Amino acid sequence: MSPKHTTLRRALRRTTLVTTLAAAGLLTAAGSAFAHVTVHPGSYPKGATDGTLTFRVPNEEDNADTTQVQVFLPTDHPIPSVLVTPEPGWTAEVKTTKLKNPIKTDDGTINEAVSQITWTKGKIEPGQYQDFSVAFGQLPDDTDQLALKTLQTYSDGKVVRWIEEPKPGQAEPENPAPVLHLTKAADGAAPSASASAAPKASAAAAGDSTTRDLGIAGLIAGVLGIGTAVVALYRSRSARP
């Protein structure tokens, strides 16, 4: 085999390897993004009012539907009230509980807070996800984050408990709870939910889009490289006496 032939074959192998790695990276990024139940946006200012939280629930099973989703709201840092967005095919139930330490507000004392939201009678099929949205009245201002523990029940009876709280400096647990981070509101400014959440949600979406774009660009570059190498190899063969 001629040196020119050998060089072309090596280039073809390298290009194929690049394409394979790019595809693997794209699939890994997609898999990690949809690996568990998440809450969006991921943060709000402390004490924010009149905002929306969306729980994204993917189905990770191959042969069972998700038939029930339960989200548990912490009562040590309570959310007094929520309104549930209707989801076609699903029935939502909101439960409240008496507070050990009532919340004093300008409008009076709040003795109850939301403790659980349950969605039933619908289904999330394998390979699909469902968004469940709720509007909140006011978030607490005395903590840095809320772990919104979630139970996901499948049609075959399996229950996945998304209840493990991530710890700073440690690897993500196997079944992490959705976590809402609460940030310090700007000095002298009222915590506006809509003004603060939109940029963060857009930034998250932009990050996911960038990951996908980079992966797709890598795939395209790899395919073009393979095509170029094949054409060069064909021409070299045609040029041989």
Side-chain angles (χ1 to χ4, degrees):
M1 183 179 297
S2 67
K4 185 175 183 180
H5 239 77
T6 302
T7 301
L8 286 171
R9 288 185 180 277
R10 287 176 178 172
L12 181 59
R13 285 198 297 268
R14 285 196 299 268
T15 306
T16 303
L17 177 60
V18 169
T19 304
T20 303
L21 291 175
L26 180 60
L27 293 175
T28 299
S32 62
F34 293 98
H36 47 74
V37 177
T38 52
V39 63
H40 304 272
S43 66
Y44 266 117
K46 294 180 179 181
T49 58
D50 301 324
T52 301
L53 297 174
T54 298
F55 297 90
R56 175 157 295 180
V57 183
N59 186 328
E60 297 183 316
E61 296 296 304
D62 295 328
N63 301 301
D65 300 330
T66 293
T67 56
Q68 178 175 277
V69 176
Q70 297 169 277
V71 176
F72 298 87
L73 279 61
T75 55
D76 53 346
H77 303 289
I79 298 177
S81 62
V82 300
L83 292 175
V84 180
T85 301
E87 300 294 344
W90 291 87
T91 297
E93 179 185 5
V94 178
K95 291 185 178 181
T96 59
T97 187
K98 290 282 186 180
L99 295 175
K100 294 181 180 179
N101 299 309
I103 304 172
K104 295 182 179 181
T105 70
D106 294 338
D107 299 322
T109 300
I110 298 174
N111 297 304
E112 291 186 340
V114 179
S115 59
Q116 180 180 334
I117 309 171
T118 302
W119 287 271
T120 56
K121 299 184 179 180
K123 66 177 181 179
I124 309 171
E125 297 180 358
Q128 299 182 358
Y129 72 90
Q130 177 72 46
D131 283 344
F132 299 95
S133 296
V134 299
F136 60 80
Q138 183 172 358
L139 295 177
D141 58 5
D142 58 350
T143 184
D144 294 329
Q145 66 179 35
L146 297 176
L148 305 169
K149 299 180 179 181
T150 303
L151 300 186
Q152 180 178 9
T153 302
Y154 286 91
S155 55
D156 60 1
K158 179 179 180 180
V159 178
V160 180
R161 302 168 62 83
W162 304 102
I163 63 173
E164 299 177 69
E165 297 187 37
K167 303 296 183 183
Q170 297 184 10
E172 183 178 71
E174 183 177 356
N175 294 313
V179 173
L180 178 66
H181 297 279
L182 299 179
T183 61
K184 183 179 179 181
D187 293 338
S192 171
S194 58
S196 62
K200 294 182 181 298
S202 299
D208 291 341
S209 177
T210 300
T211 300
R212 288 193 298 269
D213 291 346
L214 288 174
I216 292 171
L219 288 174
I220 293 173
V223 171
L224 291 176
I226 289 176
T228 301
V230 169
V231 171
L233 181 60
Y234 174 78
R235 288 179 176 176
S236 69
R237 287 181 173 177
S238 300
R240 293 174 59 189

